[in-house]
Amino acid sequence: MTAPFRIAIAGLGTVGSGVVKALTARGDDLSHRAGRALQITAMSARDKARARGFEITGWRDDPLALADSDADVVVELIGGEEGIARDLVERALAAGKHVVTANKALLAKHGLALAKLAEDRGVSLKFEAAAAGGIPIVKVLREDLIAHGVDAIKGILNGTCNYILTEMEASGRSFAEVLKEAQAKGYAEADPALDVGGGDTAHKLCLLSSLAFGTAPDLAHVAVEGITHITADDIAFASEFGFRIKLLGVARRVGDKIDQKVHPAMVRARAALANVPGAANGVLVDAGEAGSFFFSGRGAGEAPTASAVIADIVEAASDGDQPSPVFGRPAAGLAKLAPADSKAGVSPWYLRFEVLDVPGVLAAIARHLADAGVSIESMIQRGRAPGEPVAIVMITHETAQGAVERALKVISASDKVRSRPCMILMES
Amino acid sequence: MTAPFRIAIAGLGTVGSGVVKALTARGDDLSHRAGRALQITAMSARDKARARGFEITGWRDDPLALADSDADVVVELIGGEEGIARDLVERALAAGKHVVTANKALLAKHGLALAKLAEDRGVSLKFEAAAAGGIPIVKVLREDLIAHGVDAIKGILNGTCNYILTEMEASGRSFAEVLKEAQAKGYAEADPALDVGGGDTAHKLCLLSSLAFGTAPDLAHVAVEGITHITADDIAFASEFGFRIKLLGVARRVGDKIDQKVHPAMVRARAALANVPGAANGVLVDAGEAGSFFFSGRGAGEAPTASAVIADIVEAASDGDQPSPVFGRPAAGLAKLAPADSKAGVSPWYLRFEVLDVPGVLAAIARHLADAGVSIESMIQRGRAPGEPVAIVMITHETAQGAVERALKVISASDKVRSRPCMILMES
């Protein structure tokens, strides 16, 4: 056996602790797999004293000092797209150390520069834990589904959103109520904006896009819509039509461009993605001639995320002197694929209007839709108590997003229409 | 870039042709990923003259000559557990060449010896295409779900069986009819025994077991039951109970032993495995604390299988001088896990008896079951035309397989019972 592989860990929260515990509990087996002993030689975290259930090894008050330690790999589990996390990753790579990280925000923003740095220095930069937790989708896209290219990726990449939507469906409660409960249970952050606003899904999606399509991570061109406007009504209507509402990250090749977007969608109840339960994640990859592949499992939490980090550590240890390119192809050659017009794609749309129950409202809505070229396939109008607004739900024929949006803009301006109309893509 | 990576291909049937076509069509991208040019330098197949839609390069009449060619990797797509395939793989490894193969039968039988040979010579022996085609389950088990161990694997690993069972359910037709049609369409072999008898699933299962549990492939200890005795009635009854019948390969850790078996099972209609359609494959991995992961997609055919072969070729090309162990851990250290008593596991069972419609038959069956300690949870007896045998279907409470088999043995002996009673495990 060659020399031990020395590991420095920055960040000892849920995931960092999970990594230390698994390396301790199963170190022998993992060392056998790596072909060399795996040895934690340094750690840093915000609070040294916190009880974690394991011994601290090689403590550093300053996480940046890990980059100057004798470690072979620095495991960055601090998080954040700037600040200490970025400094540490840059310094560690510059110092010729491998880096393993779970930091999707950092890579979504600085992925290309960091990949170039890693490849210049001949070290690994691995990030299996940055997308879909325990599901090895990063490696699958980087190394497995490569022979026939990827046409599209469609994923449930945020467990918090999937938990909230699943609970809303099961209980009939509102978004706000379920979010509050999720926060109390620790399934949602105190500031949930990054999750429920779709930003976290966008970070992950643009990493998967980069691997699939050979483009630099390009967060700026991901159109993002979250789930905060989804109501219990929308979920009930979806269910009536045989659909479920899921927050999807979708990346597609459109000619020589790519379309990347995050949005809630109605997915057929029998489809694999519709059956990703609770806080789990699921990813569908359309791999050209090789067909469609589906992967699901736990996308967050201590053990699943630690599982991904450890797979990366073992791979870095066994890679030898020839680490493979960070995003599957040499960073210098990552094509800059132009963004496709994401509003051009057609699909049926679910539309919900809250209107005042006065004569002529429906006629006005129907006319505005017709003027924009949006034709209606079916409609439900449901009675409410007198004086309350009425929900009108329509399903369109296949229509471009842009056309529907133009119609809704006009309709929103009417004083008979309460709140912003809701539009949700339906998978055809 | 380093020197080109030279590829010799033995076997130019469906998969071999798919490999050549994909390497030709996407060679530039794949070479970028590998870090060196990928170059086919030699080929061999049974019939040189056959039209394949691509040019022959470096033809050898004798496939064994590929082992002495200048290739860096020999891709064995001949098949068969002995004969030319085995000779070629042994010779190529002995000559210090990497080997990529789709040959499950060969590895199930000689996997340990071949892995030792590969590791002795410091070369790769890769077999992603040997199990579940395009689904990268071999790599997932070898490199990804390693941090928390694997408790169980449950897979639909044979597309022919899944196609037949799916068609039987959709059409209500008999096994024999659907098999005949599948043969006519080319979905089943002229001699279907290896598929429908469960042997092919057993080959694949013992490779996955080896990767998951760190044991040598041990085909002799896989209990195998196929689908030839499944009737249209069984499928209809399953559907009535909310189940589907699937041929599963199941490997579980039971203490320090492992239980490996192939058998038809009733899977709940909403479960992920129940929704693996047609000729697709699906694998559920229970990865301890990290939770359950599910993978599905096309398990056979030109492009999916070629996709797996090519991923292996690219990995062999980029591995450099340190190929990772064939079964995830060094072959010399693969633990010999003892087989668990596969008849000890309890579950509910579906039992179907074809009986003569005479007084006392049901009482006799019920008594024999009670004597063996098998208690019945529910029963259906369905009338037939006078004089025809009657189907009695029972679902047991959780019972050990051995107890049910003892009762059925006694019941079979009765002259009131027509044909062998059918027993199918129900997932609880």
Side-chain angles (χ1 to χ4, degrees):
Chain A
M1 267 201 190
T2 36
F5 190 68
R6 289 160 304 199
I7 303 163
I9 301 183
L12 295 171
T14 308
V15 178
S17 296
V19 171
V20 175
K21 286 183 211 165
L23 281 173
T24 309
R26 300 178 44 88
D28 286 353
D29 181 54
L30 294 167
S31 297
H32 264 98
R33 290 174 176 279
R36 50 203 290 200
L38 301 175
Q39 194 181 328
I40 300 176
T41 53
M43 295 178 180
S44 183
R46 221 173 298 174
D47 176 7
K48 185 181 181 184
R50 202 178 120 193
R52 295 183 172 92
F54 55 82
E55 303 247 317
I56 294 294
T57 306
W59 178 262
R60 304 288 199 285
D61 284 320
D62 178 6
L64 294 180
L66 298 177
D68 311 318
S69 73
D70 68 352
D72 297 298
V73 64
V74 172
V75 180
E76 185 274 302
L77 301 169
I78 294 170
E81 65 189 43
E82 301 292 347
I84 300 176
R86 183 181 175 193
D87 291 346
L88 174 59
V89 169
E90 284 180 350
R91 272 221 224 173
L93 294 174
K97 298 187 187 311
H98 304 296
V99 169
V100 169
T101 178
N103 193 332
K104 49 229 118 188
L106 174 69
L107 289 175
K109 192 162 176 195
H110 303 293
L112 183 63
L114 293 173
K116 282 183 177 158
L117 179 56
E119 291 169 26
D120 278 353
R121 293 296 193 278
V123 292
S124 291
L125 168 59
K126 292 184 190 286
F127 57 93
E128 186 61 71
I135 305 173
I137 188 67
V138 168
K139 182 127 86 177
V140 163
L141 291 173
R142 198 179 60 212
E143 300 176 15
D144 297 314
L145 298 179
I146 59 176
H148 300 91
V150 171
D151 294 332
I153 304 167
K154 197 180 283 183
I156 294 173
L157 300 172
N158 182 278
T160 304
C161 289
N162 206 53
Y163 173 82
I164 290 173
L165 292 169
T166 306
E167 277 298 298
M168 285 175 73
E169 187 184 346
S171 68
R173 284 178 299 165
S174 72
F175 172 79
E177 278 176 277
V178 173
L179 171 60
K180 209 167 159 186
E181 187 194 84
Q183 287 171 318
K185 286 187 174 172
Y187 294 165
E189 306 278 344
D191 176 2
L194 194 59
D195 290 321
V196 300
D200 174 74
T201 300
H203 289 149
K204 293 164 179 169
L205 181 69
C206 73
L207 299 182
L208 300 186
S209 281
S210 175
L211 293 159
F213 304 121
T215 183
D218 184 8
L219 190 59
H221 287 106
V222 185
V224 184
E225 183 190 332
I227 62 165
T228 54
H229 61 298
I230 303 292
T231 65
D233 267 2
D234 295 327
I235 292 193
F237 280 119
S239 171
E240 227 168 277
F241 301 136
F243 286 77
R244 288 203 182 109
I245 298 178
K246 296 288 186 186
L247 182 69
L248 300 184
V250 181
R252 291 179 306 135
R253 187 191 291 282
V254 183
D256 55 357
K257 300 179 176 175
I258 53 169
D259 180 21
Q260 301 180 82
K261 49 193 173 190
V262 175
H263 58 82
M266 292 206 185
V267 183
R268 281 185 197 283
R270 284 200 54 173
L273 281 170
N275 291 289
V276 172
N281 282 193
V283 186
L284 196 66
V285 180
D286 182 354
E289 281 174 76
S292 282
F293 294 88
F294 178 68
F295 309 89
S296 67
R298 286 170 64 195
E302 180 179 309
T305 314
S307 168
V309 170
I310 284 175
D312 278 349
I313 292 172
V314 170
E315 195 173 70
S318 51
D319 259 357
D321 300 333
Q322 288 197 307
S324 44
V326 176
F327 289 101
R329 289 107 160 173
L334 288 181
K336 296 267 183 195
L337 296 180
D341 174 5
S342 72
K343 309 218 163 171
V346 299
S347 73
W349 295 87
Y350 161 95
L351 309 178
R352 177 179 45 76
F353 306 93
E354 301 285 326
V355 302
L356 296 181
D357 192 5
V358 294
V361 178
L362 179 58
I365 290 174
R367 184 168 37 82
H368 291 311
L369 289 168
D371 287 350
V374 179
S375 82
I376 301 305
E377 194 259 333
S378 59
M379 201 204 88
I380 300 178
Q381 177 170 344
R382 199 146 279 172
R384 292 275 164 94
E388 281 194 3
V390 171
I392 296 179
V393 164
M394 295 176 176
I395 294 175
T396 73
H397 285 289
E398 301 247 321
T399 314
Q401 181 175 345
V404 178
E405 284 179 351
R406 275 195 301 281
L408 294 200
K409 201 171 166 195
V410 178
I411 294 168
S412 303
S414 161
D415 58 0
K416 310 291 186 300
V417 175
R418 302 274 299 249
S419 73
R420 203 172 132 226
C422 172
M423 63 183 282
I424 303 175
L425 183 144
M426 300 183 85
E427 303 229 303
S428 44
Chain B
M1 268 205 189
T2 36
F5 190 68
R6 289 159 304 199
I7 303 164
I9 302 183
L12 295 172
T14 308
V15 178
S17 296
V19 170
V20 176
K21 285 183 211 164
L23 280 172
T24 308
R26 298 178 45 88
D28 286 352
D29 182 55
L30 294 167
S31 296
H32 264 99
R33 291 174 175 278
R36 50 203 289 202
L38 301 175
Q39 193 180 331
I40 300 176
T41 53
M43 295 179 180
S44 183
R46 222 173 299 175
D47 177 7
K48 185 180 179 185
R50 203 178 119 193
R52 294 183 173 92
F54 54 83
E55 303 248 316
I56 294 294
T57 305
W59 178 262
R60 304 288 199 285
D61 284 321
D62 179 6
L64 294 179
L66 298 177
D68 311 319
S69 72
D70 68 353
D72 297 297
V73 64
V74 171
V75 180
E76 184 275 302
L77 301 169
I78 295 170
E81 66 189 42
E82 302 293 346
I84 300 176
R86 183 180 177 195
D87 291 346
L88 173 59
V89 170
E90 284 179 351
R91 273 221 224 172
L93 293 174
K97 296 186 188 315
H98 304 295
V99 169
V100 169
T101 178
N103 192 333
K104 48 230 122 189
L106 174 68
L107 289 175
K109 192 163 177 194
H110 303 294
L112 184 62
L114 294 173
K116 283 182 177 158
L117 179 56
E119 291 169 26
D120 278 354
R121 291 297 193 279
V123 292
S124 291
L125 169 58
K126 294 186 188 286
F127 56 94
E128 185 61 71
I135 305 172
I137 188 66
V138 168
K139 182 126 88 177
V140 163
L141 291 172
R142 197 179 64 210
E143 300 176 17
D144 297 314
L145 298 179
I146 59 176
H148 300 92
V150 171
D151 294 332
I153 304 167
K154 197 180 283 183
I156 293 172
L157 300 172
N158 183 277
T160 304
C161 289
N162 206 53
Y163 173 82
I164 291 173
L165 292 169
T166 306
E167 276 298 299
M168 284 175 73
E169 187 184 344
S171 68
R173 285 178 299 165
S174 72
F175 172 79
E177 277 175 278
V178 173
L179 171 60
K180 209 165 155 186
E181 186 193 84
Q183 287 171 318
K185 285 187 176 172
Y187 295 166
E189 306 277 344
D191 177 1
L194 194 61
D195 290 319
V196 301
D200 174 73
T201 300
H203 288 149
K204 294 164 178 168
L205 182 69
C206 75
L207 299 182
L208 301 187
S209 281
S210 177
L211 293 158
F213 304 121
T215 183
D218 184 8
L219 189 60
H221 287 107
V222 184
V224 183
E225 183 190 331
I227 61 165
T228 54
H229 61 296
I230 302 292
T231 65
D233 268 2
D234 295 327
I235 291 191
F237 280 119
S239 171
E240 227 169 277
F241 301 137
F243 287 77
R244 287 203 183 110
I245 299 179
K246 295 289 186 185
L247 182 70
L248 300 184
V250 181
R252 290 179 307 136
R253 186 190 291 283
V254 184
D256 55 356
K257 300 178 176 175
I258 52 169
D259 180 21
Q260 300 179 82
K261 49 194 174 192
V262 175
H263 58 81
M266 290 204 185
V267 183
R268 281 186 197 282
R270 283 200 57 171
L273 281 170
N275 291 290
V276 172
N281 281 194
V283 186
L284 196 67
V285 180
D286 182 354
E289 281 174 76
S292 283
F293 294 88
F294 178 69
F295 309 89
S296 66
R298 286 170 64 194
E302 179 178 309
T305 314
S307 168
V309 170
I310 284 175
D312 279 349
I313 292 173
V314 170
E315 194 173 70
S318 51
D319 259 356
D321 300 333
Q322 289 197 306
S324 45
V326 177
F327 289 100
R329 290 107 161 172
L334 288 181
K336 296 265 183 196
L337 297 180
D341 175 5
S342 74
K343 308 218 163 170
V346 299
S347 74
W349 294 88
Y350 161 95
L351 309 178
R352 177 178 46 77
F353 306 93
E354 299 285 328
V355 301
L356 297 180
D357 192 5
V358 294
V361 179
L362 178 58
I365 289 175
R367 183 163 41 77
H368 292 311
L369 289 168
D371 287 350
V374 179
S375 83
I376 301 304
E377 195 260 331
S378 60
M379 202 203 87
I380 299 177
Q381 178 172 342
R382 199 145 280 174
R384 292 275 164 94
E388 281 195 3
V390 170
I392 296 179
V393 164
M394 296 176 174
I395 293 174
T396 73
H397 286 288
E398 300 248 320
T399 315
Q401 181 175 347
V404 179
E405 285 179 350
R406 278 195 300 281
L408 294 201
K409 201 171 168 193
V410 179
I411 294 168
S412 302
S414 159
D415 58 0
K416 309 290 187 298
V417 174
R418 302 272 299 250
S419 75
R420 200 170 132 231
C422 171
M423 64 182 282
I424 303 175
L425 182 142
M426 298 183 87
E427 303 230 304
S428 45

